[in-house]
Amino acid sequence: MADKKDIRALTKEQLRNFFVAQGDKAFRGNQVYEWLWKKSAHSFEGMTNISKETRDMLEANFTINNIRVDQMQRSTDGTIKNAVKLHDDLVVESVLIPTETRTTACVSSQVGCSLDCRFCATARLKRMRNLNPDEIYDQVVAIDNQSRLYHDRPLSNIVFMGMGEPLMNYNNVLKAIEMITSEEGLGMSPKRITVSTSGVPKMIKKMADEDVRFKLAVSLHSAIDEVRTAIMPFNSTFPLKDLREALEYWYAKTKNRITYEYVVWRGINDSQKDVDALVKFCKFAPSKVNLIEYNPIDDGEFQQASDDALNRYITTLEKNGITVTVRRSRGKDIDAACGQLANKS
């Protein structure tokens, strides 16, 4: 098994060339490629318009490393959390978040996480490896199927806010998005996809240079360096000055509004000084701030701020012309909310 190549690591061109080398027609590669991506086939056996002989030959040479939804939990609010088993038995989590008007897939990009945010359960897991493009793609297919089954409509949005830092798995994340948006894959609009990063300046600039069409969200949580470093230690490597410069570059190139994800904690970032710093940080480009309800991860150090503190943020941001929304958490009862993904069940 170990010497069989994962067939989805091949491009369409490579598949066509493989069949030609076998003395077959190049178009056979197109057929197999369609089965693998558009039809999400998980076995060669199911490729019914291909001869048995050809299917056996594929079986002998390749494997399809598809994911398996190992466990599914449904929240009282309709949210679904999947424990997704990978081909090497490692597990990541993905979440389906339904609202009245849409269903959103929250997908993972790494097993564990490369970063060390102190308020996030996923950050406590060691980063084991990056996910491959097909493993990211499979999460979306699985959630699209659940959306159709339980909510009677196709998946409408995707957020890369599951386990891992997407920009630390840059090439695979972009390849997955390419297939998700391709007519040869799921054909979703890139405008319905948001990549959320804790802020890796060099990679934000790279995305801008590559003229990506999806949306960007930045997990900010403080616009004061000392505060941000205390809760997100990697900020000492990628300080706010560098992040801000990268985001200015992103906006100049893409003209896309930037979304900031922001949790307000009691005694950590709930003062007027914190609010004023955020307003100043946001001013250089059109932006939106999502104030996110905090989901405790057991140890009590981080506590949801008071309503007064939250209202102070809302009032000050609005007064300064910055769009602000308060995002209530979904799926808390099954540890499926923001920052809670840690392979608990």
Side-chain angles (χ1 to χ4, degrees), residues 145-201:
N145 290 337
Q146 290 172 337
S147 178
R148 291 168 194 269
L149 179 63
Y150 295 109
H151 299 282
D152 209 21
R153 57 175 184 257
L155 184 65
S156 56
N157 296 76
I158 301 170
V159 293
F160 280 79
M161 292 183 190
M163 300 167 81
E165 165 53 64
L167 298 194
M168 295 288 200
N169 185 16
Y170 184 87
N171 292 337
N172 289 350
V173 165
L174 260 67
K175 175 70 183 155
I177 292 174
E178 188 185 314
M179 286 312 301
I180 289 163
T181 55
S182 161
E183 282 311 316
E184 296 185 312
L186 298 180
M188 278 189 80
S189 164
K191 292 186 176 65
R192 294 179 172 274
I193 299 173
T194 300
V195 171
S196 175
T197 175
S198 292
V200 187

Coordinates of all heavy atoms in Angstrom, one line a residue, residues 145-201:
N145 N -22.7 17.6 1.2 CA -23.7 16.4 1.3 C -24.6 16.6 2.5 O -25.8 16.4 2.5 CB -22.9 15.1 1.3 CG -22.3 14.8 0.0 OD1 -22.7 15.3 -1.1 ND2 -21.2 14.0 0.0
Q146 N -23.9 16.9 3.7 CA -24.7 17.1 4.9 C -25.7 18.3 4.8 O -26.8 18.2 5.3 CB -23.8 17.3 6.1 CG -23.0 16.1 6.5 CD -21.9 16.3 7.5 OE1 -21.5 17.4 7.7 NE2 -21.5 15.3 8.2
S147 N -25.3 19.3 4.1 CA -26.1 20.5 3.9 C -27.4 20.1 3.1 O -28.5 20.5 3.4 CB -25.3 21.6 3.2 OG -26.2 22.7 3.0
R148 N -27.1 19.3 2.1 CA -28.3 18.9 1.2 C -29.2 18.0 2.0 O -30.4 18.0 1.9 CB -27.7 18.2 0.0 CG -27.0 19.2 -1.0 CD -26.2 18.5 -2.1 NE -25.3 19.4 -2.8 CZ -25.6 20.0 -3.9 NH1 -26.9 20.0 -4.4 NH2 -24.8 20.8 -4.5
L149 N -28.6 17.1 2.8 CA -29.3 16.1 3.5 C -30.2 16.7 4.6 O -31.4 16.4 4.8 CB -28.4 15.0 4.1 CG -29.0 13.9 4.9 CD1 -30.0 13.0 4.0 CD2 -27.9 13.0 5.5
Y150 N -29.5 17.5 5.5 CA -30.2 18.0 6.7 C -30.9 19.4 6.5 O -31.7 19.8 7.3 CB -29.2 18.1 7.8 CG -28.7 16.7 8.3 CD1 -27.4 16.4 8.0 CD2 -29.5 15.8 8.9 CE1 -26.9 15.1 8.3 CE2 -29.0 14.6 9.3 CZ -27.7 14.2 9.0 OH -27.3 13.0 9.4
H151 N -30.4 20.1 5.5 CA -31.0 21.5 5.3 C -31.6 21.7 3.9 O -32.0 22.9 3.6 CB -29.9 22.5 5.7 CG -29.4 22.5 7.1 ND1 -30.1 23.0 8.1 CD2 -28.3 21.9 7.6 CE1 -29.4 22.7 9.3 NE2 -28.3 22.0 8.9
D152 N -31.5 20.7 3.1 CA -32.2 20.7 1.9 C -31.7 21.8 0.9 O -32.4 22.4 0.2 CB -33.7 20.9 2.1 CG -34.5 20.2 1.0 OD1 -33.9 19.4 0.3 OD2 -35.7 20.6 0.7
R153 N -30.4 22.1 1.1 CA -29.8 23.1 0.1 C -28.3 22.9 0.0 O -27.7 22.4 1.0 CB -30.1 24.5 0.5 CG -29.7 24.9 1.9 CD -30.0 26.4 2.1 NE -29.5 26.9 3.4 CZ -30.3 27.1 4.4 NH1 -31.6 26.9 4.4 NH2 -29.8 27.6 5.6
P154 N -27.7 23.3 -1.1 CA -26.3 23.1 -1.2 C -25.5 24.0 -0.3 O -26.1 25.0 0.2 CB -26.0 23.4 -2.7 CG -27.1 24.2 -3.1 CD -28.3 23.8 -2.3
L155 N -24.3 23.7 0.0 CA -23.4 24.5 0.8 C -23.3 25.9 0.1 O -23.1 25.9 -1.1 CB -22.0 23.8 0.8 CG -21.0 24.5 1.7 CD1 -21.4 24.4 3.2 CD2 -19.7 23.7 1.5
S156 N -23.3 27.0 0.9 CA -23.2 28.3 0.2 C -21.9 29.0 0.5 O -21.5 29.8 -0.3 CB -24.4 29.2 0.7 OG -24.4 29.3 2.1
N157 N -21.2 28.7 1.6 CA -20.0 29.4 2.0 C -19.0 28.5 2.6 O -19.3 27.5 3.2 CB -20.3 30.6 3.0 CG -21.2 31.6 2.4 OD1 -22.4 31.4 2.2 ND2 -20.6 32.7 2.0
I158 N -17.7 28.9 2.5 CA -16.6 28.1 3.1 C -15.7 29.1 3.9 O -15.4 30.1 3.3 CB -15.8 27.4 2.1 CG1 -16.6 26.4 1.2 CG2 -14.6 26.6 2.7 CD1 -15.9 25.9 0.0
V159 N -15.4 28.7 5.1 CA -14.4 29.5 5.9 C -13.3 28.6 6.3 O -13.5 27.5 6.8 CB -15.0 30.3 7.1 CG1 -16.0 31.3 6.6 CG2 -15.7 29.3 8.0
F160 N -12.0 29.0 6.1 CA -10.9 28.3 6.6 C -10.6 28.8 8.0 O -9.7 29.6 8.2 CB -9.7 28.6 5.6 CG -9.7 27.7 4.4 CD1 -10.5 28.1 3.3 CD2 -9.0 26.6 4.3 CE1 -10.6 27.3 2.2 CE2 -9.0 25.8 3.1 CZ -9.8 26.2 2.1
M161 N -11.4 28.3 8.9 CA -11.3 28.7 10.3 C -11.3 27.5 11.2 O -11.5 27.6 12.4 CB -12.4 29.7 10.7 CG -12.4 31.0 10.0 SD -13.8 32.1 10.5 CE -13.6 33.4 9.3
G162 N -11.1 26.4 10.6 CA -11.0 25.1 11.4 C -9.6 25.0 12.1 O -9.0 26.0 12.4
M163 N -9.1 23.8 12.2 CA -7.8 23.6 12.8 C -6.7 24.0 11.9 O -6.7 23.7 10.7 CB -7.7 22.1 13.1 CG -8.8 21.6 14.1 SD -8.9 19.8 14.3 CE -7.6 19.5 15.4
G164 N -5.7 24.7 12.4 CA -4.5 25.0 11.7 C -4.5 26.4 11.2 O -5.5 27.1 11.2
E165 N -3.3 26.9 10.8 CA -3.1 28.2 10.2 C -3.0 28.0 8.7 O -2.0 27.5 8.2 CB -1.8 28.9 10.8 CG -1.3 30.1 10.0 CD -2.3 31.2 9.8 OE1 -2.8 31.8 10.8 OE2 -2.6 31.4 8.6
P166 N -4.0 28.4 7.9 CA -4.0 28.2 6.5 C -2.8 28.7 5.7 O -2.3 28.0 4.8 CB -5.3 28.9 6.0 CG -6.1 29.1 7.2 CD -5.2 29.1 8.4
L167 N -2.3 29.8 6.2 CA -1.1 30.4 5.4 C 0.2 29.7 5.7 O 1.2 29.9 5.0 CB -1.0 31.9 5.7 CG -2.2 32.7 5.2 CD1 -1.9 34.2 5.2 CD2 -2.7 32.3 3.9
M168 N 0.2 28.8 6.7 CA 1.4 27.9 7.0 C 1.2 26.6 6.2 O 2.1 25.7 6.3 CB 1.5 27.6 8.5 CG 1.8 28.8 9.3 SD 3.5 29.4 9.1 CE 3.7 30.4 10.6
N169 N 0.2 26.5 5.4 CA 0.0 25.4 4.5 C -0.5 26.0 3.1 O -1.4 25.6 2.5 CB -1.1 24.4 5.0 CG -1.2 23.2 4.1 OD1 -0.3 22.9 3.3 ND2 -2.3 22.4 4.3
Y170 N 0.3 27.0 2.7 CA -0.2 27.9 1.7 C -0.5 27.2 0.3 O -1.6 27.3 -0.2 CB 0.9 29.0 1.4 CG 0.5 30.0 0.4 CD1 -0.2 31.2 0.8 CD2 0.9 29.9 -0.9 CE1 -0.5 32.1 -0.1 CE2 0.6 30.9 -1.8 CZ -0.1 32.0 -1.4 OH -0.5 33.0 -2.3
N171 N 0.5 26.4 -0.2 CA 0.3 25.8 -1.5 C -0.9 24.9 -1.6 O -1.6 24.9 -2.5 CB 1.6 25.1 -1.9 CG 2.7 26.1 -2.2 OD1 2.5 27.3 -2.5 ND2 4.0 25.7 -2.1
N172 N -1.0 24.0 -0.5 CA -2.1 23.1 -0.5 C -3.4 23.7 -0.4 O -4.4 23.3 -1.0 CB -1.9 22.0 0.6 CG -0.7 21.1 0.3 OD1 -0.2 21.1 -0.8 ND2 -0.3 20.3 1.3
V173 N -3.5 24.8 0.5 CA -4.8 25.5 0.6 C -5.2 26.1 -0.7 O -6.4 26.1 -1.1 CB -4.7 26.6 1.8 CG1 -5.8 27.6 1.7 CG2 -4.7 25.9 3.1
L174 N -4.2 26.8 -1.4 CA -4.6 27.4 -2.7 C -5.0 26.4 -3.7 O -5.9 26.6 -4.5 CB -3.4 28.3 -3.1 CG -3.7 29.8 -2.8 CD1 -3.7 30.1 -1.3 CD2 -2.8 30.7 -3.6
K175 N -4.3 25.2 -3.7 CA -4.6 24.2 -4.7 C -6.0 23.7 -4.4 O -6.8 23.4 -5.3 CB -3.6 23.1 -4.6 CG -3.9 21.9 -5.4 CD -3.7 22.1 -6.9 CE -4.1 20.9 -7.8 NZ -4.5 21.3 -9.1
A176 N -6.4 23.5 -3.1 CA -7.7 23.0 -2.7 C -8.8 24.0 -3.2 O -9.8 23.7 -3.8 CB -7.8 22.8 -1.2
I177 N -8.5 25.3 -3.0 CA -9.5 26.4 -3.4 C -9.6 26.4 -4.9 O -10.7 26.6 -5.4 CB -9.0 27.8 -2.8 CG1 -9.2 27.8 -1.3 CG2 -9.9 28.9 -3.5 CD1 -8.7 29.0 -0.6
E178 N -8.5 26.2 -5.6 CA -8.5 26.1 -7.1 C -9.5 25.0 -7.5 O -10.3 25.2 -8.4 CB -7.1 25.8 -7.6 CG -6.9 25.9 -9.1 CD -5.5 25.5 -9.5 OE1 -4.5 25.9 -8.8 OE2 -5.4 24.7 -10.4
M179 N -9.4 23.8 -6.9 CA -10.3 22.7 -7.3 C -11.8 23.0 -6.8 O -12.7 22.6 -7.5 CB -9.8 21.4 -6.7 CG -8.6 20.9 -7.3 SD -8.7 20.8 -9.2 CE -10.1 19.8 -9.4
I180 N -11.9 23.6 -5.6 CA -13.3 23.9 -5.1 C -14.0 24.9 -6.1 O -15.2 24.8 -6.3 CB -13.2 24.5 -3.7 CG1 -12.8 23.4 -2.7 CG2 -14.6 25.1 -3.3 CD1 -12.3 23.9 -1.4
T181 N -13.2 25.8 -6.6 CA -13.8 26.9 -7.5 C -13.9 26.5 -9.0 O -14.5 27.1 -9.7 CB -13.1 28.2 -7.3 OG1 -11.7 28.0 -7.6 CG2 -13.3 28.7 -5.9
S182 N -13.1 25.5 -9.3 CA -13.0 25.1 -10.7 C -14.3 24.4 -11.2 O -15.0 23.7 -10.4 CB -11.9 24.1 -10.9 OG -12.0 23.4 -12.1
E183 N -14.6 24.6 -12.5 CA -15.8 23.9 -13.0 C -15.5 22.4 -13.1 O -16.5 21.6 -13.2 CB -16.1 24.4 -14.4 CG -16.9 25.7 -14.4 CD -18.1 25.8 -13.5 OE1 -18.9 24.8 -13.5 OE2 -18.3 26.7 -12.8
E184 N -14.3 22.0 -13.0 CA -13.9 20.6 -13.0 C -14.0 20.0 -11.6 O -13.9 18.8 -11.4 CB -12.5 20.4 -13.5 CG -12.4 20.7 -15.0 CD -11.0 20.4 -15.5 OE1 -10.0 20.8 -14.9 OE2 -10.9 19.8 -16.6
G185 N -14.3 20.9 -10.6 CA -14.4 20.5 -9.2 C -15.8 20.8 -8.8 O -16.8 20.3 -9.3
L186 N -16.0 21.7 -7.8 CA -17.3 22.0 -7.2 C -17.9 23.2 -7.8 O -19.1 23.5 -7.6 CB -17.2 22.2 -5.7 CG -16.7 20.9 -4.9 CD1 -16.6 21.3 -3.4 CD2 -17.6 19.7 -5.1
G187 N -17.1 24.0 -8.5 CA -17.6 25.2 -9.2 C -18.2 26.3 -8.3 O -19.1 27.0 -8.7
M188 N -17.7 26.4 -7.1 CA -18.1 27.4 -6.2 C -17.5 28.7 -6.5 O -16.3 28.8 -6.9 CB -17.8 27.0 -4.7 CG -18.9 26.1 -4.1 SD -18.6 25.8 -2.3 CE -19.4 27.3 -1.7
S189 N -18.2 29.8 -6.2 CA -17.6 31.1 -6.5 C -16.5 31.4 -5.4 O -16.8 31.2 -4.2 CB -18.7 32.2 -6.4 OG -18.1 33.5 -6.2
P190 N -15.4 31.9 -5.8 CA -14.3 32.3 -4.8 C -14.8 33.4 -3.8 O -14.3 33.5 -2.7 CB -13.1 32.8 -5.6 CG -13.7 33.0 -7.0 CD -14.9 32.2 -7.2
K191 N -15.8 34.2 -4.2 CA -16.3 35.2 -3.3 C -17.0 34.7 -2.1 O -17.3 35.3 -1.2 CB -17.3 36.1 -4.1 CG -16.6 37.0 -5.2 CD -17.6 38.0 -5.8 CE -17.0 38.9 -6.8 NZ -16.5 38.2 -8.0
R192 N -17.3 33.4 -2.2 CA -18.0 32.7 -1.1 C -17.0 32.0 -0.1 O -17.4 31.2 0.8 CB -19.0 31.7 -1.6 CG -20.2 32.4 -2.4 CD -21.1 31.3 -2.9 NE -22.3 32.0 -3.5 CZ -23.4 32.4 -2.8 NH1 -23.4 32.1 -1.5 NH2 -24.4 33.0 -3.3
I193 N -15.7 32.2 -0.4 CA -14.7 31.6 0.4 C -13.9 32.6 1.2 O -13.5 33.6 0.6 CB -13.8 30.7 -0.5 CG1 -14.5 29.7 -1.2 CG2 -12.6 30.1 0.3 CD1 -13.7 28.9 -2.3
T194 N -13.7 32.4 2.5 CA -12.9 33.3 3.3 C -11.8 32.5 3.9 O -12.0 31.4 4.6 CB -13.8 33.9 4.4 OG1 -14.8 34.6 3.8 CG2 -12.9 34.8 5.3
V195 N -10.6 33.0 3.7 CA -9.4 32.4 4.4 C -9.0 33.2 5.6 O -8.8 34.4 5.5 CB -8.2 32.3 3.4 CG1 -6.9 31.9 4.2 CG2 -8.5 31.3 2.3
S196 N -9.1 32.6 6.8 CA -8.8 33.3 8.0 C -7.4 33.0 8.5 O -7.0 31.9 8.6 CB -9.8 32.9 9.1 OG -9.5 33.5 10.3
T197 N -6.6 34.1 8.7 CA -5.2 33.9 9.2 C -5.0 34.7 10.4 O -5.6 35.7 10.7 CB -4.2 34.4 8.1 OG1 -2.9 34.3 8.6 CG2 -4.5 35.9 7.7
S198 N -4.1 34.2 11.2 CA -3.6 34.9 12.4 C -2.6 36.0 12.0 O -2.3 36.8 12.9 CB -3.0 34.0 13.4 OG -4.0 33.1 14.0
G199 N -2.2 36.0 10.8 CA -1.4 37.1 10.3 C 0.0 36.7 10.0 O 0.9 36.8 10.8
V200 N 0.3 36.2 8.8 CA 1.6 35.9 8.3 C 2.0 36.8 7.2 O 1.6 36.6 6.0 CB 1.7 34.4 7.9 CG1 3.2 34.0 7.6 CG2 1.1 33.4 8.9
P201 N 2.6 38.0 7.5 CA 2.8 39.1 6.6 C 3.3 38.7 5.2 O 2.7 39.0 4.2 CB 3.7 40.0 7.3 CG 3.5 39.8 8.7 CD 3.3 38.3 8.8

